[in-house]
Amino acid sequence: MPVGRRAVLGTGTAAVFIAGVAPGPDAAAGETRGEATVATVTVELHVNGASHRLTLDPRTTLLDALREHLALTGSKKGCDHGQCGACTVLLDGRRINACLTLAVLHDGQPVTTIEGLADGETLHPLQAAFIEHDGFQCGYCTSGQICSAAGMLEESRAGMPSFVTADLAEPQPPLTDDEIRERMSGNICRCAAYPNIVAAIRKAAEIRA
Amino acid sequence: MKPFAFERPASVMDAAIAAAVPGASIIAGGTNLLDLMKLQVETPSRLIDINRLALDRIEPTPEGGLRIGTLVRNSDIAADIRVRQHYGVLSRALLAGASAQVRNKATTGGNLLQRTRCYYFYDISKPCNKRRPGSGCAAIGGFNRIHAILGTSQSCIATHPSDMAVAMRVLDAVVETIKPDGSKRAIAIAGFHRLPGSTPQVETVLERGETIIAVRLPPPLPGVHIYRKVRDRASFAFALVSVAAVIQMAGGRIQSARLAFGGLAHKPWRVPAAEQTLEGEAPSPAVFQAAADAVLAGAKGFGSNDFKIPLTRRTLHAVMAQATHS
Amino acid sequence: MEMNSPIGTTPLDRARDGIVGKPLDRVDGRLKVTGGAKYAYEVAQAPEALYGYVVQATIGKGRITAIDKTAAEAAPGVVLVLTHENAPEQARNRRAHPVLNSPDIAYYGQPVALVVARSFEEARAGAYLVRVSYEEASGSYTLKGGLGQARVPSAGYSSPESAVGDFAGVFPKAPVKLDVTYTTPLETHAMMEPHATLAVWDGDSLTLHTSNQMLDQGRAAVARTLRMPVGKVRLISRFIGGGFGAKLSVQADAILAAIAARHLHHPVKVALTREQIFNVTTHRSDTIQRLRLGTDETGRILAIGHDAYSGNLRTESQFEAAADQTRTLYAGANRLTRNRLVPLDAPIASAMRAPGEAVGLLALECAMDELAYRLDIDPIELRIRNEPAEDPEKHIPFSSRHLVECYRAGAERFGWNKRQPRPGQVRQDQWLIGIGMAAATRGNVLVPSSASVRMGPDGIAIVKMAMTDIGTGSYTILTQIASELLGVPPDRVRMELGDTAYPEAAGSGGSFGAASSGSALYVACERLRAVFADRAGLDTDKAEFRDGMIVLGGKAVVLASLVGASGIEVRGEIRPGDMSRKYSQQSYGAQFAEVAVDGDTGEVRLRRMLGVFTAGRILNEKTARSQAIGGMVFGVGAALEEAVVLDPRFGAYYVNHNLADYLVPVHADLPHVDAVFLPELDDRTNPLKAKGVGELGICGAGAAVANAIYNACGARIRDFPITLDKVMSALPAQA
């Protein structure tokens, strides 16, 4: 009974297609345990500037595509339901929970993960600031915190308000520490490096400003 | 997650047709649908991806309002300067919801259609009339801290978890849809969500395949816009009680009052009689209490959510005091 | 080395401007901020691992009558459905962790099957196809409901009870009496990384890449369970995404991955989902605690009693030792502490950050606050009046105790003198503002640990031990110790941890990790220094080690030149001696909190918090502060938000078993939080003169918050967590 490699059944492009459980043409041998197959889809993911053509079970989340198919394990699975933020990546520059979306939904779209933030050996200012301010302990939420912070600083620069913004009509709300805290609340850190994370983000924001 | 066929229709009309197939489900942001699919609470056999349709714009309407495409992300509504300046209650409500990551993905239509956060609904090993009609309601007699106190039935005491919908309710938004036969309709948000009754699995008035294409906001309402959300932690938590309020004062009296409530019922809750109680009155604790009485008429706790009755009263009082500077 | 006498002056004391204690950035920081640190589930494996997904029982108690796995086995990608019918027999003794070894269901959520498939998606879908039929039995699920069955537990890491003097005779006659009952809820560790294991067999040898705090203990448990020689089992945990006690013992993910991988002759990895963690693994029991404090009119304690009830699975003996800190914190001649255990049909209760003190101090320190108001004495003054000169029960000296200094320094920094003694006096807009304080204490422990240090001709020091870094900073502080003692810069120290192939080490638990593993390293470095001194012909006690050289007088010898072609390796070991019997050992601190209570809704918002602590020598100012703050925030969560809710209609069913419904603090909950350590060296604890830090921060933190809430609005909530509904019901009518 072969149990080794994942069955790979490309079914053409991602434009319009139908996929489903066997019966597919290759599922004829479905009698044997482990050989029934789910028809796959082909997805082109652009991650950290590199293009990857993947043959995936359509149920594969963006997070699992990154972790299990591209070995980009920096994005973490803490809850798999968008409740912790450890999987935060940047999709087209905007922060999202990679666990709450399917890879197939993002065919052709650019994704940036923690592995893509540094410029070669030079750390991103947020990464350097997280080290300096000890913005983590166990490190498991860290990738998500940093990607989230990167997205958050862009949002702030673009004038995005938050729930704690006093005057919503103000086109460019100032990024106070309270604002950082509110905007970063989708990223749980159970080690509770929170004060240090805020200090790190503040430092990185000042470097960029 | 059960296997599904994945489709990407080329037009909104095709999407409605595809969505009409039994077992089909439209996916937009997916932040709630995938959450539920992973737990097999939702088990669509066909997933209709509408993300690439051009339904992601906010445009002015001839009447002086705004038309928000169904695919506009929650954060983009909240950040839109027109919304911030003229529909503050909506922007604030959106910003009160979930996390920035979820708001960046979640869509207008998806937010309106999100399912309840009832703990038992989320666990397929437990009875739930909404998930498995006829199986019973585990929340009645169980843990129901986040559950409804108004409009409940013996079948279901779930709440609608949206913040956005509460603000849209106070703004009298209109939901635009398209049906598989190509016909369109405009549904006033007041009538969009249903109360559970004996069919809690039917949550809206949408027909099979009927697909949301936009939400229309009437011209801006003058007055103070407030969205007050009371929750168990400072951020990233569902409302226990929320109040969307647009209050206009004139000559020391409440000229107009619009109030909608979240966390209390199977739909955003609005009571015209409560608003009438306030209008024309000078603000005072007694007037606020009278309004609260009207809002809470028929309210019933189920044990762990009994506190919502006094909490609603006190939150309404606080919001009115803030709005009227009294 | 065995710790039987004070250590005396050490090279760490002599070092001028040494690196130990300095706020060195974490040495593993770069790996963690770039996503390069590999946690258990992420270790690359050839061939690619198969995926296991756990199926859980959905009854409270009973037995499986049938399992239909036909559909699951036929599902796409599924290669194995493991149940009690085809799982290998495992040891069933007390220290084993058998899984799928019986049709009996002892508690809700117990694993009943593992579905293994070629992909995660297929394994998960397959798991939902397993149909289990049960015969249900009645059980006992709630602590309150089981109080009638409470028993005196057998002694574990704590003794169940203590008595000094005549509590029963004196308390009733005390001029001032407080008799109050506090309850704390069931809590979950909620570390960010779920339990996960990748199992790989090579012949009859098993390697588990797993997320485990105590590797040597874990290895022994796996070997016992699978009836293997310990030498054939290897556990590797280079990085661990938090533990807080959840990963002290081997969990089902490890055993299931191991048996599935053996069955399939193929690597298998299993991660528990966040939802599964709640019932499959351990939690902190809820507690019911009765505090009785009797004082004279000046607040001097005459009688102090603490009864603490907790629950556990009926076959388990561990209890939440919530009464323990009451044995040492305050003076008083008549004392009675009793921990009681209620047998339940519920998942296993085990240690969670500061087991005992974390919840015991919620009760004791709130009761002390109540007493202060009753007596109209400042809460700090009341505590100082009851500061004991020696351990009040064992009548032995404290190894070190500077609690009063913590109170005073904290009061000064926090602005305690601005406190309004009467509650409800400070209002800003809708907010009622209050401040509160509490004492922190956490027992200090030294456990056996060993380490090897090797220096090769390249001058790089390689340290190996089966120690773990669960975010505590082990990699960093051990690097600092080796760097300072060997006189080499930190980048010339290579720290290899997290592998049972290395010398047995303490692991991470009970706040003993840094001091125990660091002491073993200290001993090893001392030995290596002696070898170097000997080879250089210099006096060990007088020589200095710096810049990669041994230096004395005018002579300086490069260490790398002394190691020969093959290098030198030495081992060091520390064992606890009798110092823990001669001296009462605790870390201490004072916690201060300012809260705002919404006068309309009862919502509580922390405004600022300060902890002032003493924990002996601080090994890294930066990481210690971070740990202390992390503990304080844990305490804030316990005070305000955290509670696993049980629905006994379905067994020990934890209703809110996810991170949307079990709330832990988020950024917005935490404004200004700071922690400060006062200088202290404790030469009776261990060669480093350090004491435990990791759990100290949580101790008393929640009580300070609760006491601040009372000061803000007069609501004394004795049922944790203090949610807004409880506060609101104590607020006055709105104006």
Side-chain angles (χ1 to χ4, degrees):
Chain A
M1 181 179 67
V3 293
R5 293 195 47 77
R6 246 159 251 150
V8 174
L9 303 173
T11 56
T13 68
V16 175
F17 45 76
I18 300 207
V21 200
D26 298 277
E31 300 294 303
T32 311
R33 189 181 305 177
E35 292 186 1
T37 50
V38 169
T40 53
V41 294
T42 303
V43 179
E44 183 121 349
L45 287 182
H46 296 284
V47 185
N48 303 329
S51 181
H52 304 271
R53 199 173 171 79
L54 295 176
T55 304
L56 297 174
D57 184 321
R59 294 172 290 182
T60 310
T61 61
L62 177 60
L63 178 62
D64 285 327
L66 294 169
R67 285 170 61 82
E68 306 300 326
H69 295 266
L70 295 175
L72 291 170
T73 56
S75 307
K76 303 302 184 193
K77 188 184 281 191
C79 72
D80 215 14
H81 287 275
Q83 299 160 358
C84 79
C87 66
T88 304
V89 299
L90 300 169
L91 174 71
D92 240 336
R94 290 161 64 120
R95 50 182 171 156
I96 63 160
N97 298 122
C99 76
L100 272 192
T101 192
L102 298 171
V104 65
L105 295 176
H106 302 296
D107 188 47
Q109 293 175 346
V111 176
T112 304
T113 70
I114 189 71
E115 290 92 344
L117 280 188
D119 180 9
E121 286 301 295
T122 307
L123 294 177
H124 185 283
L126 277 164
Q127 292 172 314
F130 267 63
I131 294 177
E132 183 191 343
H133 289 276
D134 210 28
F136 53 90
Q137 292 178 40
C138 80
Y140 203 77
C141 76
T142 312
S143 306
Q145 298 276 358
I146 292 174
C147 285
S148 184
M152 184 275 288
L153 291 176
E154 285 305 319
E155 290 164 8
S156 172
R157 256 175 236 123
M160 165 74 82
S162 88
F163 184 68
V164 301
T165 303
D167 180 7
L168 291 175
E170 156 75 48
Q172 192 65 47
L175 189 65
T176 62
D177 282 357
D178 278 346
E179 286 276 2
I180 293 175
R181 290 183 193 107
E182 164 60 25
R183 291 161 189 259
M184 290 296 294
S185 284
N187 291 86
I188 292 174
C189 174
R190 185 58 158 166
C191 300
Y194 294 130
N196 296 352
I197 292 170
V198 172
I201 293 172
R202 163 74 45 222
K203 171 79 180 287
E206 283 162 6
I207 288 172
R208 291 284 296 272
Chain B
M1 194 181 294
K2 286 192 176 173
F4 50 80
F6 184 83
E7 300 172 40
R8 190 172 287 152
S11 72
V12 65
M13 186 59 214
D14 289 348
I17 293 168
V21 176
S25 182
I26 284 179
I27 185 163
T31 53
N32 187 219
L33 181 60
L34 289 167
D35 178 27
L36 294 166
M37 285 171 66
K38 289 178 184 191
L39 300 169
Q40 294 206 0
V41 176
E42 297 265 19
T43 54
S45 54
R46 298 160 71 97
L47 212 51
I48 318 298
D49 174 17
I50 61 167
N51 281 286
R52 301 193 183 205
L53 300 178
L55 300 169
D56 58 351
R57 280 187 288 276
I58 304 178
E59 300 157 322
T61 63
E63 304 80 46
L66 288 176
R67 185 173 181 274
I68 302 167
T70 192
L71 287 176
V72 180
R73 308 292 154 167
N74 286 181
S75 48
D76 290 330
I77 307 176
D80 188 286
I81 197 70
R82 294 163 293 186
V83 176
R84 284 153 68 180
Q85 287 172 348
H86 304 300
Y87 302 94
V89 66
L90 176 59
S91 183
R92 186 81 69 189
L94 281 157
L95 294 168
S99 66
Q101 288 94 317
V102 172
R103 296 193 293 268
N104 277 340
K105 197 76 167 53
T107 62
T108 316
N111 192 319
L112 285 176
L113 294 175
Q114 68 181 299
R115 313 292 307 273
T116 182
R117 289 297 314 183
C118 172
Y119 325 107
Y120 303 97
F121 171 73
Y122 262 78
D123 185 339
I124 61 168
S125 71
K126 297 291 161 284
C128 172
N129 290 321
K130 184 183 283 296
R131 179 171 28 74
R132 206 165 68 237
S135 61
C137 173
I140 296 174
F143 180 57
N144 46 44
R145 179 173 179 81
I146 60 172
H147 288 73
I149 56 171
L150 287 162
T152 57
S153 74
Q154 291 177 335
S155 297
C156 181
I157 60 170
T159 54
H160 193 268
S162 172
D163 292 295
M164 181 194 81
V166 180
M168 286 183 170
R169 178 72 185 89
V170 93
L171 294 169
D172 283 327
V174 174
V175 183
E176 294 182 15
T177 66
I178 185 166
K179 294 185 190 180
D181 65 4
S183 65
K184 296 185 176 180
R185 69 166 166 159
I187 307 166
I189 194 157
F192 183 79
H193 294 102
R194 294 178 73 258
L195 287 178
S198 57
T199 54
Q201 72 278 17
V202 184
E203 295 171 349
T204 68
V205 297
L206 293 181
E207 297 166 13
R208 174 174 285 180
E210 186 172 6
T211 300
I212 299 175
I213 52 178
V215 171
R216 214 163 55 222
L217 302 180
L221 292 173
V224 180
H225 284 227
I226 293 173
Y227 189 75
R228 176 78 164 94
K229 182 173 182 179
V230 183
R231 44 186 158 174
D232 273 328
R233 69 181 171 194
S235 186
F236 200 15
F238 290 93
L240 293 168
V241 171
S242 69
V243 182
V246 180
I247 308 295
Q248 194 177 16
M249 297 291 289
R253 292 188 175 270
I254 301 165
Q255 184 179 19
S256 77
R258 292 167 175 240
L259 296 163
F261 297 81
L264 301 187
H266 201 251
K267 57 188 284 187
W269 198 254
R270 191 165 166 193
V271 179
E275 296 171 7
Q276 286 154 18
T277 304
L278 293 164
E279 284 169 0
E281 299 292 329
S284 74
V287 169
F288 302 160
Q289 288 307 313
D293 289 340
V295 170
L296 290 165
K300 175 173 183 266
F302 292 84
S304 22
N305 71 349
D306 290 349
F307 72 94
K308 282 189 175 184
I309 296 174
L311 180 62
T312 302
R313 187 174 288 283
R314 295 180 72 106
T315 306
L316 172 59
H317 180 117
V319 166
M320 287 307 301
Q322 181 190 346
T324 60
H325 304 291
S326 63
Chain C
M1 177 192 282
E2 192 165 283
M3 199 65 197
N4 287 314
S5 56
I7 191 71
T9 304
T10 77
L12 296 177
D13 303 322
R14 287 193 293 265
R16 291 164 306 181
D17 201 33
I19 192 170
V20 168
K22 289 286 187 302
L24 187 71
D25 290 344
R26 283 174 202 264
V27 298
D28 52 345
R30 194 180 176 94
L31 278 176
K32 286 181 173 174
V33 301
T34 57
K38 297 285 183 196
Y39 297 77
Y41 202 72
E42 302 164 356
V43 174
Q45 189 57 44
E48 285 179 70
L50 296 164
Y51 293 79
Y53 196 97
V54 173
V55 181
Q56 296 176 268
T58 54
I59 61 163
K61 185 178 165 73
R63 57 191 296 278
I64 298 169
T65 53
I67 293 190
D68 179 358
K69 48 188 188 180
T70 324
E73 285 179 339
V78 171
V79 296
L80 174 67
V81 179
L82 210 50
T83 70
H84 71 279
E85 292 164 344
N86 60 344
E89 198 174 329
Q90 301 148 48
R92 298 184 63 86
N93 61 63
R94 286 193 58 78
R95 305 197 62 196
H97 298 267
V99 190
L100 306 183
N101 235 218
S102 155
D104 295 333
I105 302 300
Y107 55 88
Y108 189 98
Q110 174 185 321
V112 293
L114 180 78
V115 175
V116 184
R118 292 169 307 196
S119 73
F120 172 71
E121 294 75 25
E122 290 167 331
R124 180 177 56 193
Y128 278 84
L129 295 172
V130 177
R131 296 278 166 266
V132 188
S133 307
Y134 302 98
E135 184 179 289
E136 288 193 55
S138 64
S140 178
Y141 306 120
T142 68
L143 179 63
K144 201 173 171 188
L147 277 181
Q149 280 80 53
R151 57 181 166 80
V152 182
S154 51
Y157 68 91
S158 151
S159 55
E161 52 194 7
S162 72
V164 173
D166 176 21
F167 176 83
V170 174
F171 176 73
K173 297 181 204 140
V176 179
K177 287 192 286 289
L178 185 81
D179 183 349
V180 287
T181 297
Y182 279 81
T183 56
T184 67
L186 204 142
E187 295 170 353
T188 185
H189 309 80
M191 67 286 143
M192 298 310 297
E193 182 207 17
H195 301 263
T197 301
L198 162 63
V200 184
W201 288 87
D202 179 9
D204 60 353
S205 294
L206 171 65
T207 300
L208 296 178
H209 298 273
T210 188
S211 195
N212 189 294
Q213 299 174 224
M214 306 274 289
L215 294 182
D216 291 302
Q217 176 186 299
R219 174 165 72 158
V222 170
R224 262 194 311 270
T225 306
L226 301 182
R227 295 173 164 152
M228 296 170 64
V230 168
K232 295 285 190 185
V233 178
R234 181 179 178 192
L235 264 57
I236 302 177
S237 303
R238 306 272 187 223
F239 292 98
I240 298 167
F244 313 113
K247 297 167 179 173
L248 285 174
S249 55
V250 166
Q251 298 295 332
D253 58 301
I255 302 299
L256 289 171
I259 61 182
R262 185 161 60 184
H263 192 103
L264 291 162
H265 304 291
H266 195 101
V268 170
K269 58 181 183 180
V270 177
L272 299 180
T273 67
R274 179 59 61 184
E275 292 81 0
Q276 289 170 346
I277 289 170
F278 284 74
N279 279 64
V280 173
T281 75
T282 64
H283 60 272
R284 193 203 303 277
S285 171
D286 42 351
T287 68
I288 298 171
Q289 303 180 50
R290 182 183 185 194
L291 263 297
R292 283 176 288 175
L293 299 167
T295 74
D296 66 16
E297 287 84 354
T298 68
R300 283 190 176 73
I301 294 173
L302 304 172
I304 181 167
H306 194 160
D307 293 318
Y309 295 82
S310 61
N312 209 337
L313 178 63
R314 56 179 71 252
T315 49
E316 295 289 312
S317 59
Q318 188 167 337
F319 55 93
E320 185 73 28
D324 282 21
Q325 74 288 315
T326 306
R327 297 170 186 167
T328 57
L329 192 51
Y330 297 113
N334 304 287
R335 320 175 64 89
L336 179 65
T337 72
R338 297 182 292 202
N339 293 299
R340 293 290 181 262
L341 183 62
V342 174
L344 298 172
D345 302 293
I348 296 171
S350 184
M352 178 166 150
R353 203 171 199 171
E357 289 96 334
V359 288
L361 284 165
L362 282 176
L364 174 61
E365 285 300 281
C366 286
M368 284 296 284
D369 199 62
E370 292 197 59
L371 190 59
Y373 281 95
R374 180 82 60 89
L375 289 156
D376 198 19
I377 299 175
D378 180 277
I380 292 178
E381 175 58 25
L382 176 67
R383 286 170 173 83
I384 291 173
R385 284 184 195 175
N386 288 291
E387 178 71 6
E390 59 169 18
D391 185 300
E393 300 204 354
K394 293 180 182 161
H395 302 296
I396 54 175
F398 292 108
S399 65
S400 59
R401 177 165 169 139
H402 298 97
L403 179 53
V404 173
E405 287 86 339
C406 292
Y407 293 145
R408 294 200 163 122
E412 169 78 24
R413 282 168 179 263
F414 193 74
W416 182 253
N417 59 357
K418 296 193 189 75
R419 170 180 177 267
Q420 296 294 321
R422 280 165 38 77
Q425 301 301 301
V426 184
R427 188 163 190 131
Q428 293 170 5
D429 303 323
Q430 85 267 33
W431 299 103
L432 296 158
I433 317 294
I435 63 178
M437 61 79 59
T441 178
R442 169 71 187 158
N444 184 66
V445 182
L446 182 66
V447 302
S449 203
S450 56
S452 71
V453 185
R454 172 186 175 77
M455 187 178 282
D458 57 2
I460 291 176
I462 301 173
V463 176
K464 294 185 177 180
M465 60 175 104
M467 180 59 190
T468 50
D469 188 331
I470 62 172
T472 41
S474 310
Y475 278 110
T476 307
I477 58 110
L478 293 171
T479 297
Q480 288 171 278
I481 291 167
S483 168
E484 179 162 332
L485 289 174
L486 299 178
V488 297
D491 62 6
R492 306 289 283 169
V493 176
R494 207 156 78 215
M495 197 55 57
E496 300 201 4
L497 308 180
D499 190 338
T500 56
Y502 306 151
E504 286 193 26
S508 302
S511 294
F512 51 63
S516 302
S517 66
S519 292
L521 178 57
Y522 170 94
V523 174
C525 289
E526 281 281 80
R527 289 215 176 118
L528 192 54
R529 286 162 64 104
V531 173
F532 284 135
D534 185 49
R535 291 191 181 180
L538 298 173
D539 182 343
T540 316
D541 295 331
K542 293 183 182 149
E544 267 188 76
F545 288 76
R546 56 178 155 88
D547 307 325
M549 295 182 292
I550 175 168
V551 182
L552 185 61
K555 191 175 174 186
V557 184
V558 173
L559 297 177
S561 72
L562 297 171
V563 302
S566 54
I568 316 176
E569 178 168 321
V570 297
R571 281 175 75 113
E573 190 184 351
I574 188 78
R575 286 187 308 279
D578 61 7
M579 293 302 277
S580 59
R581 287 188 292 280
K582 291 184 201 161
Y583 294 94
S584 182
Q585 299 185 15
Q586 282 83 224
S587 300
Y588 291 100
Q591 306 268 15
F592 294 84
E594 177 179 323
V595 303
V597 175
D598 188 302
D600 296 307
T601 62
E603 290 162 286
V604 177
R605 297 289 177 256
L606 185 72
R607 290 209 158 174
R608 61 193 178 102
M609 196 160 182
L610 171 70
V612 176
F613 305 103
T614 52
R617 188 193 303 278
I618 297 306
L619 302 172
N620 180 317
E621 200 182 287
K622 184 183 283 194
T623 58
R625 174 178 175 271
S626 295
Q627 264 196 297
I629 289 173
M632 291 163 71
V633 174
F634 235 87
V636 174
L640 300 178
E641 297 171 3
E642 297 183 34
V644 174
V645 177
L646 184 70
D647 186 340
R649 296 175 303 167
F650 303 106
Y653 173 61
Y654 301 148
V655 184
N656 55 338
H657 52 272
N658 59 59
L659 291 180
D661 298 314
Y662 181 88
L663 299 184
V664 299
V666 295
H667 275 280
D669 289 314
L670 279 308
H672 308 280
V673 181
D674 201 5
V676 175
F677 288 90
L678 301 182
E680 185 182 68
L681 293 176
D682 189 331
D683 64 357
R684 293 157 173 116
T685 52
N686 54 62
L688 305 178
K689 306 185 180 180
K691 295 190 288 191
V693 169
E695 297 164 308
L696 181 58
I698 189 176
C699 296
V705 172
N707 294 338
I709 291 170
Y710 180 77
N711 184 247
C713 67
R716 178 67 72 186
I717 311 300
R718 300 193 185 92
D719 176 36
F720 287 94
I722 306 177
T723 47
L724 63 93
D725 47 316
K726 299 172 192 172
V727 178
M728 179 185 67
S729 64
L731 293 175
Q734 290 160 303

